[in-house]
Every structure is written in C-alpha cells, then in structure tokens.
Amino acid sequence: MSVMEVSFCTITNPGPRRSMPALVYLRAILYVPELVWACLGAVWVSDDGRGCDPATVGAVISAVVASWIILLFTAVGVVFVFDPLGNPRPQPPAMEPLGVRDMQSSEGTQFLSTARSLAVKVWESRLRLLCCCLPQDESSRAAFSSISQLFSSFFSDTDLVPSDIAAGLALLHQEQDKMERSRDPDVVVPHSPSSPGEDLEDELEKATHWMQFAAAAYGWPLYIYSNLFTGPCKLSGDCCMSRVAEDEIVGGDHLGCHFSSILQTTGLQYRDFIHVSFHNQIYEIPFFVALDHKREAILVAVRGTLSLKDVLTDLSAECENLPVEGVLGACYAHKGISQAAGYVYKRLVNDGILNQAFSIAPEYKLVITGHSLGAGAASVLAILLRNSFPTLQCYAFSPPGGLLSKALADYSKDFVVSVVLGKDLVPRLSIPNMEDLKRKLLKIVSNCNKPKYRILLQGCWYELFGGDPDDCPTEMDNRREQELSQPLLGEESLIVRHSSSYQSLGSDESPAHTPAHLPLFLPGRILHITEDGPTRRSCFSQVRYRADWSNEMAFRSILISPRMLTDHMPDIVLRALGTLTKDKPFSLCPSSLSDSQHNAI
C-alpha cells in the first residue's frame, strides 16, 4: 500500500468534511430566527400571566430560559473556538513548477508573518473578553500579550478539530498503557538522592508535615471541599467576627474565613503567625509566615492556583532570566512564577517580615513550601534566599514541570525536595512537552485507519471500565518500516504550516530535540509517589502507595490517564503522603532492601 493510499484510509481524510463549512454557515443563519423567538418568548413571559395554566406558564418559562442558555453558550463557543483567519497557508496548485513556487516564497513569508500577528491579536482579544472582570492594568496587559503569543504559536501550525484531539488522546492513552504493561517490572532505573545517606522515611514524614501547611494556604475553599459536612459548621462561628488584632498581621481576608481555616488545618495558634497575606493579583500571590514550634522552623507557605489571576500567572510560561550568584550555566525560569516569587521575596525582605520572625526565634531554620503554582514560587523563592539563609529547606508539592533551567534545577537539589503523585499532569507540563504531545497526536491520528466514532466509543469504555488496550483501535497493521520513516500525507494534511516545533514520523520522539523553546525542568530532588498494585481497582479497595527517588528526565513526557488531574489535587497528595507514613511496615519495597541505590517505601 502506497503512502498516498494510506493517507486516504485514515480519519484525517478531509474528503468527508468538505460539506461541513456550508452546514456550519447554514446553521448560523438559523440562529437568527431562534434569537427572534427567544426575544418574543422573553417579552411574553414578562407579561402578566394571570388566567393561564400555571403548568403551561412554567413550561414556557423553562423553554425560554433554556433557549437563552443555549444561545449564550453558542455565542461564547463561536468567540473562543472559531478562527476568523481560516487557513493561513497560501496553497499553490499541486503541479506548480518549482521555479514559480520559489518566486512566491517572499510573498508567502510576508503572508505568514501577517497571519501570525493577526493570530496574536485574535488570542489577545479572546483573553481580554474572558478576563473582562479583571482590572486592565500594566500587569494584565503584559500577561495577555505573553499568553496570546504562546497560544497563537502553539495552535497556528495545526488543523485539528476537537474530535480529532479526543480520538488522539484515547489512542495515545492505550499506546502508553501497552508500553507500560510490556515493560519488565524487575528492571529498575536507580535514581538516588544527592545525599546517599538520606533517610527516605524521614523525608516522607517531613513532606507529610509540610504538606498540611501547603494545603492550608488555599484557605476556606479547600477546607470546605475536604470537610463538606463539618467544615461549614466549624468556620461559621469564626467567620465575620470582628478581630481588631488580626488586622495587624492578616491582609486581604475581609471576612476572616481564610485565616480561620488555616488555624483549623494547621493546629497553630494566632500568636504563631508572623504575617498572613491574601492579596492576589497577576504575578502577586497569597502567602503566610508562621512559627512551627514542633519542627522548630520559620515557615513560609505560598498558595497555589485558586483564581483567574493565578491562571494568568501560570500561563505566562515563556522564559525569563534569573541570575543567581555562584551558579554556572544558563539561569532562567518560568516568567510568571519567577515574578510571583520575586513579589513574595520583596515582601519578606523589604518589609522586614523575615527579620521579625528571626528576632522572635533566632535559632529556628527557614522552611518554604507550596503546592502547584505555590510550589513553583516556593522553589524560585528558595533559590533567591539561599545565599542569605544557607540552611533553608524547600518542599515543593506537584510543582510545574516547565520551571527551571538545567543549571538552576541542579543547583536546587541541595535544598529543594519536589513531591509528585502518580501521573499528575502539572509536573509534566511544559511548552516542549506540549509540542511533543501535539506531534504524537498528529502521528497516531494520521496512522489510524479505524472510524472515529469507534475510536471515541471504545476510548470512553476504556477510560471508564478499563480492559485490554490490544482490543482497541491502534495504528494500521502491516505497515512497512520504510513507510514510517517519511511523513504521511495524512499527517501533513493536519499541518497548516511547518514550524520548528513540528517533526515528522521519523524524527526523534524526545521533546529535548525540539529547538523552538528552551527546556525547563522540575526543581530539586524528586520524590515520586505511585500506586502499588494494578492500575485498575474497585472504588472501595484500599490504595497502597510506594515512593521512589526519581529525576527530572522521567517527567519529559505527558502521560494520558483518568487520574492525570485528580493526582494533582492537594487533598489527594496529602492523603497519599499520610497513607505512606502510617503504613510504613506494609509498604516497604523489598527491592530497596537489596539495592542501596534504589530507595523506596
């Protein structure tokens, strides 16, 4: 079978979609009478309905409300999904002579440059509309510009519809499960911590203790979520009460619910807190400083993502220089997180918060912790404070993968411990990894010859109930090896324009070979917690975990899993750590007893 014949057999064949634009525009025209009828229905409902059957009136009101909701979501979908630029690639005739094509290269380059700038403006307009409730200050404008450039660059070179992405993710998940099942379970790659004598049990106990403070930084939303029945009752007596003394150390918590939940979660007293800030803006995140007498530590806990402003900080993912004295090599970090850490650093140092804390407990050590965005900011903050506080320690829970350059990541291994649970998406999330995921999706979608509806149905079944991935649709059978070494027409049909991030099927699969973006890594030594046992289990079975030292290269690829989002939740991470520390005699890994280089619990 030739390459051309293969491309027409795959789900990327554009032939069946040729009539879709006409159908979409026809459906858009039909929204006009729907809008008129919805307006008439709203006018009718607003009139006096006396004399009408109450059931009929209720049914009409429900229909009118439902129609307006549908129209609203349709309008929002058009604004954020529809691409007004269309296909930004000038397509010459298939049989055009090479010389004519070369003569038009300058015109094509200028066209693509204009298309890129227009795409950035489109994404910036979308962000401004989505974040219309935020103040349009300098930080907002800088964040919108940075994120729009990132999004336009990432989405501009492909032509995928949502069903293509869903089918590709379903296929990729099954392929990854096949590889995981075929891997020899007895082969263990030894990853030892920087200090060979480090006690893993002790590190787990410390991590469990500090994770309570990282979770407490989220305030009342996480506390209520984790204690649905008892949480509201416990906080109701403390919220909205007048505390004049708290105003001296607590900022941005007008009702007092955040601080009350922190007291409930940590078990600390009011007098143990030095400073609590719930001020939240783009690149400015909440944190608190407290005295932990149990561990004899001055604790700085940084909150993770909890607001739209935090999301914009997360998405400002381009690199920013972060020079550190004594570190050789390129020093750069995630821009948004670096600026957020700089804000906390200025508050701690310039406002004298740390000096006040050490004046109370000069013999205590400094510990910095956080989860998610807070973990990334805590790691960068620890790097900034390291020279002033050589004994400080940082515990970063589920930090973002695209955080530090290789030089800074290696430098932080002496004082930063990152804790990652399972197949958590965020520690594997970086621009190179996303480009790698896009390339894999293009490859697997263009190589699959099964109907898309079958892929989606079997993919949903596999995600919900499991099964053998070998029974699900996979890449085409009987493909010759030499055909896989060249790009398929089906794959290239999804490429709007070739970018430096695109690679053909025969290229190296490692995202490290993608030169479009600088590589960023997880901070410090990495403690990876995984479920010990089968991947599929019943809802009522007890989960058992194991913990291993890993390294940053193990997180250079995004793993598709139903748990890729739940494994990131702070309450799930805290529960896993608590299970490990409580079940130490039962979760001890036998291989760790015979292999001094592989520490596991």
Side-chain angles (χ1 to χ4, degrees):
M1 182 179 293
S2 67
V3 175
M4 182 175 295
E5 291 171 338
V6 167
S7 66
F8 284 111
C9 295
T10 66
I11 64 176
T12 60
N13 179 16
R17 302 181 186 177
R18 289 174 182 170
S19 60
M20 287 304 298
L23 294 176
V24 169
Y25 287 121
L26 177 61
R27 185 64 183 90
I29 294 174
L30 293 178
Y31 274 114
V32 176
E34 288 187 21
L35 179 62
V36 173
W37 281 112
C39 294
L40 292 177
V43 172
W44 185 87
V45 168
S46 62
D47 291 340
D48 190 1
R50 286 181 297 179
C52 299
D53 183 21
T56 303
V57 173
V60 172
I61 293 176
S62 301
V64 171
V65 172
S67 64
W68 277 108
I69 292 176
I70 293 174
L71 289 172
L72 176 63
F73 277 97
T74 302
V76 172
V78 169
V79 170
F80 289 101
V81 176
F82 178 71
D83 185 5
L85 302 178
N87 188 341
R89 176 182 61 180
Q91 298 183 358
M95 303 302 296
E96 187 175 10
L98 182 61
V100 177
R101 196 174 302 177
D102 291 339
M103 291 173 61
Q104 295 180 345
S105 60
S106 177
E107 179 182 353
T109 302
Q110 183 178 2
F111 180 86
L112 289 177
S113 177
T114 305
R116 291 191 195 101
S117 61
L118 289 175
V120 172
K121 293 180 180 179
V122 169
W123 276 106
E124 192 166 350
S125 300
R126 289 171 176 171
L127 290 173
R128 291 183 185 278
L129 181 61
L130 180 65
C131 307
C132 58
C133 57
L134 298 182
Q136 302 297 315
D137 54 11
E138 188 63 30
S139 297
S140 300
R141 288 189 290 270
F144 292 157
S145 176
S146 174
I147 297 170
S148 60
Q149 291 180 11
L150 173 65
F151 278 16
S152 63
S153 173
F154 184 78
F155 291 107
S156 63
D157 60 348
T158 55
D159 185 21
L160 292 172
V161 297
S163 59
D164 292 336
I165 298 175
L169 291 175
L171 290 171
L172 185 58
H173 181 202
Q174 295 156 29
E175 287 295 322
Q176 290 177 346
D177 282 358
K178 282 184 190 178
M179 295 176 61
E180 186 175 355
R181 294 185 184 189
S182 63
R183 190 175 301 148
D184 188 352
D186 295 329
V187 176
V188 178
V189 180
H191 298 299
S192 60
S194 59
S195 302
E198 193 73 48
D199 188 359
L200 184 59
E201 254 184 62
D202 185 51
E203 285 291 351
L204 283 171
E205 290 181 358
K206 292 179 182 178
T208 305
H209 179 77
W210 300 124
M211 181 60 203
Q212 298 178 12
F213 295 91
Y218 282 97
W220 68 264
L222 181 62
Y223 182 79
I224 296 295
Y225 174 77
S226 304
N227 305 274
L228 292 176
F229 299 105
T230 60
C233 297
K234 291 182 178 179
L235 293 183
S236 59
D238 296 331
C239 294
C240 303
M241 293 180 60
S242 175
R243 288 193 179 99
V244 179
E246 282 186 9
D247 294 337
E248 299 178 0
I249 65 168
V250 181
D253 187 19
H254 303 294
L255 299 179
C257 295
H258 284 303
F259 186 60
S260 298
S261 66
I262 292 177
L263 292 174
Q264 292 283 351
T265 303
T266 61
L268 299 180
Q269 303 297 318
Y270 165 77
R271 62 178 179 271
D272 297 327
F273 288 86
I274 305 299
H275 183 81
V276 183
S277 172
F278 294 101
H279 169 77
N280 190 202
Q281 292 294 334
I282 301 175
Y283 306 142
E284 299 176 2
I285 54 180
F287 68 97
F288 69 82
V289 182
L291 301 177
D292 182 13
H293 302 293
K294 180 179 179 180
R295 296 279 180 171
E296 296 186 347
I298 295 174
L299 173 74
V300 179
V302 187
R303 197 190 75 181
T305 303
L306 195 63
S307 68
L308 183 58
K309 300 167 185 176
D310 297 332
V311 173
L312 294 177
T313 301
D314 288 320
L315 293 177
S316 299
E318 59 188 35
C319 295
E320 181 176 77
N321 289 329
L322 186 68
V324 177
E325 184 180 353
V327 179
L328 301 178
C331 295
Y332 52 88
H334 183 290
K335 175 184 176 181
I337 296 177
S338 178
Q339 294 198 14
Y343 160 76
V344 179
Y345 175 85
K346 292 176 183 177
R347 294 291 309 276
L348 294 177
V349 176
N350 296 349
D351 294 354
I353 297 175
L354 284 183
N355 288 337
Q356 179 185 354
F358 278 102
S359 66
I360 298 174
E363 72 282 2
Y364 282 14
K365 60 183 178 182
L366 179 62
V367 176
I368 308 174
T369 189
H371 172 267
S372 189
L373 168 63
S379 301
V380 177
L381 179 63
I383 292 174
L384 297 176
L385 291 171
R386 170 69 169 176
N387 290 331
S388 301
F389 302 92
T391 61
L392 73 79
Q393 291 292 314
C394 175
Y395 287 83
F397 301 94
S398 308
L403 183 62
L404 300 175
S405 65
K406 181 62 175 175
L408 288 179
D410 292 339
Y411 171 72
S412 64
K413 289 182 179 180
D414 291 334
F415 53 92
V416 177
V417 174
S418 292
V419 179
V420 178
L421 175 62
K423 297 183 178 180
D424 185 356
L425 169 66
V426 174
R428 297 173 171 86
L429 203 58
S430 66
I431 298 179
N433 286 8
M434 288 298 295
E435 294 284 359
D436 178 63
L437 176 64
K438 180 174 66 174
R439 187 193 61 81
K440 290 178 179 177
L441 289 179
L442 291 173
K443 171 184 175 180
I444 202 166
V445 167
S446 61
N447 284 340
C448 184
N449 62 346
K450 302 297 175 64
K452 192 188 298 184
Y453 78 90
R454 182 182 171 191
I455 298 174
L456 294 175
L457 290 176
Q458 292 186 341
C460 291
W461 179 272
Y462 184 79
E463 298 297 333
L464 293 174
F465 306 105
D468 189 355
D470 290 330
D471 294 335
C472 297
T474 58
E475 292 187 10
M476 289 181 293
D477 301 327
N478 302 322
R479 291 285 307 281
R480 291 181 298 173
E481 194 67 29
Q482 56 267 29
E483 291 178 351
L484 289 175
S485 64
Q486 49 186 315
L488 289 178
L489 297 183
E491 182 185 10
E492 290 196 318
S493 68
L494 299 177
I495 301 296
V496 174
R497 61 177 174 82
H498 286 276
S499 68
S500 57
S501 64
Y502 171 72
Q503 297 169 323
S504 66
L505 297 179
S507 58
D508 198 315
E509 293 191 2
S510 173
H513 292 278
T514 301
H517 302 281
L518 294 173
L520 293 171
F521 302 89
L522 286 169
R525 294 174 292 146
I526 303 171
L527 192 58
H528 191 200
I529 300 174
T530 55
E531 288 191 11
D532 194 8
T535 56
R536 298 283 180 173
R537 55 180 177 80
S538 64
C539 298
F540 304 100
S541 61
Q542 185 177 4
V543 185
R544 298 177 62 185
Y545 296 95
R546 58 174 293 159
D548 305 279
W549 290 110
S550 184
N551 70 2
E552 63 274 7
M553 299 309 296
F555 300 89
R556 301 294 289 157
S557 180
I558 294 176
L559 301 181
I560 309 301
S561 170
R563 297 194 299 270
M564 61 193 300
L565 296 179
T566 57
D567 282 350
H568 185 69
M569 297 298 293
D571 58 317
I572 303 297
V573 177
L574 182 58
R575 187 184 310 158
L577 286 168
T579 302
L580 276 172
T581 53
K582 290 178 182 177
D583 300 338
K584 288 180 291 186
F586 303 98
S587 58
L588 186 64
C589 178
S591 62
S592 65
L593 299 177
S594 58
D595 188 354
S596 60
Q597 288 184 309
H598 177 236
N599 298 288
I601 270 192

